[in-house]
Amino acid sequence: MSTFYVTTPIYYPNSEPHAGNAYTTIAADVLARYHRLKGSEVCFLTGVDEHAANVYNAAEAEGLSPQAYCDKIAPTFVKLWERLNISHDIFFRTTSDLHKRGAQKFLNVLYDNGDVYKGKYEGYYCLSCEEFFSEKELTDEKICPTHKLPLQWLEEENYFFRLSKYQDRLLAHIDENPDFVYPAARRNELLNFLKSGLQDVSISRASLSWGIPFPFDPEHIIYIWIEALSNYITALGYETESEQYQTFWPADVHIMGKDITRFHALLWPAMLMAANLPLPKHIVGHGWLTKDGEALSKTRGIFIDMDGDIATYGVDAFRYYLLREFSFGNDGDYRPARLHARYNADLANDLGNLLNRVLGLVNKNFDGTPEPTTPGEFDNEIKQMAQATVDKLDEHIKAFAFDTALETIWEFVRRINRYIQQTEVWTLAKPETKSRMGTILYNSLEALRFISVLISPFIPETAEKIQKQIGLSEFDTVAEWGRLPVGLTVSRGEPIFPRVDTKKQKQPQPKATAKPKQKQEPKTTELVSFADFQKLDLRVARVLAAEPVEDADRLLKLQVDLGTEKRQVVAGIAEHYTPEVLIGKQVIVVANLEPATIRGIESQGMILAGSGDSVVLASLEEDMPLGTQVR
Ligand code: ME8
């Protein structure tokens, strides 16, 4: 049986977990769930890095011992992971005896192998990074490049690790293994850094008491990063070389933010080389989540309202948004309006409506899952696309491209929506076509089962709901076409993504003195003459390109083809449609509207849409040649 070992960083429990920690952990969860689905024996490790100076300080500020403080904060991580449906196998604490003994053994091995020596260190130190910075990395203000906080000058007698000795081996390893560090940009950064030369690192602290004592000099404690990185083996039972350790080491994937990739891709592998242990296979350093373009910061009150958004949209929508919206290696700006748009467009419309529609048709026309007796047009294509989707998904997951992985699944979701449309299955209830209807609905249900398997690593709760609704009592994890049994009782279909009206929720309560606002009736405007109506030039157009408008959550900038010319139109539909859903769609454009400039962008026309509580684009019942007049 193949094995798969994935880890997140162990987070500092100096405060409760935040959305940045959630982002990494959700991504690791997808990998763990995906590999379980494929039949691997998986170990998924996460935990907390307790011996940090920032933990010590936070404890002191609350008048607690560091241990008591950790005992209070560590469970808040576990609680969040439960809330986010994280399927970790080990939640590891570095104050555990297993870790303490393992870290001390590891240090003994480094010492015995001759890579630890005593020396004097002085330099600028960041308490939040737990890292020394050299003069050349700093500006005159001596501010931490990551945390933007003043650095402390530290001087002490320390033990050092001969990191410089491993420079050439590290360079060769990263050079020869293009897959070792993801994404490529991060790998290049590391290669450049390596080429500029590695210095030995101090690995002990004499001035601190909160930590694990050096095994051969109890006056010192082990430098937090050395101790923390070793958690990836100590948690498995390195100390006793347990069966679990032998099964899972080396790790398949260490996943983390770009802030700490260097520790994982240089220091950690060098330590493992020094201990003659095998290296992890992949180091994945993802981008940074921001809010309104700013770094998340507790002190500055910049945070992502996870609880609020999960309460409104559900945990799966939150997971989906993080994984689908951002390219994993790049930074991503968290915007509630985009979460709302993804919820409506991808989850409620594309997937939720598909499920409801299919269940509705099955319930109305059949007694349970119909038999697929009458093959016809598109059936083979659907089946082949299902298989192709599995293969593409695998490629994307191997490249840690969660966004394209989900997009690939959604192409299949949209194809099934189109299958229903193209076959006009709802018109086939007559006796002579009923068996074809049954086949199309069987295929649609099987496609939904298939989709539920593929989405289960990303949005596990939804995957289960879908299988329950199509009548499966036990979750079927196999992505092979045709497994759905005939004759299952399908449910009536509860919406899996019920409509969310954020306007209602976010509207401030009217003040007591304010006049109650009259509910606005839809305006029945005054009559216009036929001649006036004829002045409007409405045309069929196709959307060629669509993109969000910077700093305008509601707007999309579209390029549309009117047959004879191309136009740019700005439309206020970003909360209801994602750009990729629009591309290729036919729409109706008011072609002779005066151009207007919206947020600095010229809009040459207007797209028609039904506009009430939600917004739905107007189109003709069937595609027509571009430029056709609509009257
Ligand atoms: O560095 N966007 O712990 P930490 C995305 N204990 N990810 C973010 C993020 C953001 N804005 N903020 C935090 C430590 N993260 C050490 C690790 S491992 C042996 C020791 C995530 O609590 C991201 O994964 O500061 C980042 O690398 C990690 O939290 C830092 O967590």
Side-chain angles (χ1 to χ4, degrees), residues 45 102 162 188 192 270 281 368 421 439 469 603:
L45 168 75
R162 288 186 210 283
N188 294 336
N192 287 336
K281 292 176 204 150
Q421 214 58 32
T439 305
Q469 292 207 11
S603 182

Side-chain angles (χ1 to χ4, degrees), residues 83 308-319 339 343 461 500:
R83 176 98 172 96
D309 286 345
I310 292 172
T312 306
Y313 298 99
V315 68
D316 274 0
F318 180 70
R319 287 174 63 116
L339 165 61
Y343 181 88
E461 212 174 272
V500 170

Side-chain angles (χ1 to χ4, degrees), residues 8-12 18 20-21 23-24 49 128 225 228-229 231-232 255-260 264 286-290 296:
T8 71
I10 43 172
Y11 306 107
Y12 293 131
H18 55 79
N21 310 139
Y23 184 50
T24 319
D49 188 2
S128 294
W225 268 103
L229 288 163
N231 98 92
Y232 298 132
I255 211 163
M256 77 224 59
K258 63 181 184 181
D259 53 330
I260 56 174
H264 284 79
H286 63 69
W288 213 231
L289 275 189
T290 57
L296 306 182

Side-chain angles (χ1 to χ4, degrees), residues 178-190:
D179 283 357
F180 182 56
V181 179
Y182 270 92
R186 218 121 288 147
R187 177 171 174 264
N188 294 336
E189 278 162 26
L190 286 170

Side-chain angles (χ1 to χ4, degrees), residues 73 80 111 154 162 215 249 267 282 334 343 395 413 463 477 520 548 589:
I73 301 290
L80 179 63
Y111 188 69
L154 284 190
R162 288 186 210 283
W249 190 257
L267 180 58
H282 303 294
Y334 188 97
Y343 181 88
E395 287 302 305
V413 171
T477 57
Q520 284 210 338
V589 171

Side-chain angles (χ1 to χ4, degrees), residues 25-232:
T25 311
I26 289 171
D29 187 53
V30 173
L31 294 179
R33 286 177 182 271
Y34 182 75
H35 285 272
R36 281 191 205 108
L37 198 65
K38 290 194 60 175
S40 291
E41 191 185 341
V42 170
C43 182
F44 172 10
L45 168 75
T46 187
V48 279
D49 188 2
E50 303 180 272
H51 293 121
N54 60 25
V55 172
Y56 183 88
N57 294 342
E60 208 165 44
E62 283 202 14
L64 290 175
S65 73
Q67 186 64 59
Y69 186 79
C70 289
D71 292 347
K72 188 180 97 168
I73 301 290
T76 65
F77 281 82
V78 179
K79 209 167 133 213
L80 179 63
W81 302 154
E82 274 168 15
R83 176 98 172 96
L84 293 174
N85 261 326
I86 302 298
S87 64
H88 54 279
D89 299 292
I90 306 175
F91 179 82
F92 198 46
R93 294 185 55 177
T94 53
T95 48
S96 62
D97 286 341
L98 182 64
H99 176 68
K100 288 179 187 164
R101 289 196 306 262
Q104 288 187 328
K105 172 177 164 178
F106 188 65
L107 218 81
N108 271 330
V109 172
L110 297 187
Y111 188 69
D112 292 346
N113 291 356
D115 280 329
V116 175
Y117 64 94
K118 213 167 183 182
K120 184 163 187 255
Y121 197 88
E122 47 186 40
Y124 288 100
Y125 193 76
C126 172
L127 280 183
S128 294
C129 300
E130 296 275 11
E131 188 179 5
F132 277 109
F133 288 92
S134 64
E135 291 274 354
K136 70 175 180 198
E137 290 174 282
L138 300 174
T139 58
D140 288 346
E141 281 79 40
K142 311 294 181 234
I143 300 279
C144 165
T146 307
H147 295 93
K148 316 286 179 225
L149 295 170
L151 299 173
Q152 291 197 356
W153 178 259
L154 284 190
E155 274 181 35
E156 43 174 64
E157 177 100 313
N158 280 170
Y159 285 93
F160 282 75
F161 169 61
R162 288 186 210 283
L163 181 60
S164 58
K165 175 176 156 188
Y166 294 95
Q167 165 156 336
D168 293 343
R169 268 179 78 185
L170 286 170
L171 201 57
H173 186 78
I174 298 180
D175 215 29
E176 286 158 20
N177 296 279
D179 283 357
F180 182 56
V181 179
Y182 270 92
R186 218 121 288 147
R187 177 171 174 264
N188 294 336
E189 278 162 26
L190 286 170
L191 283 172
N192 287 336
F193 183 78
L194 262 178
K195 284 174 192 156
S196 74
L198 282 185
Q199 289 178 0
D200 292 352
V201 283
S202 86
I203 57 164
S204 73
R205 296 286 174 271
S207 51
L208 301 177
S209 57
W210 176 234
I212 302 179
F214 248 59
F216 42 86
D217 186 348
E219 293 297 302
H220 289 253
I221 59 156
I222 306 174
Y223 168 48
I224 182 99
W225 268 103
I226 299 286
E227 186 221 301
L229 288 163
S230 74
N231 98 92
Y232 298 132

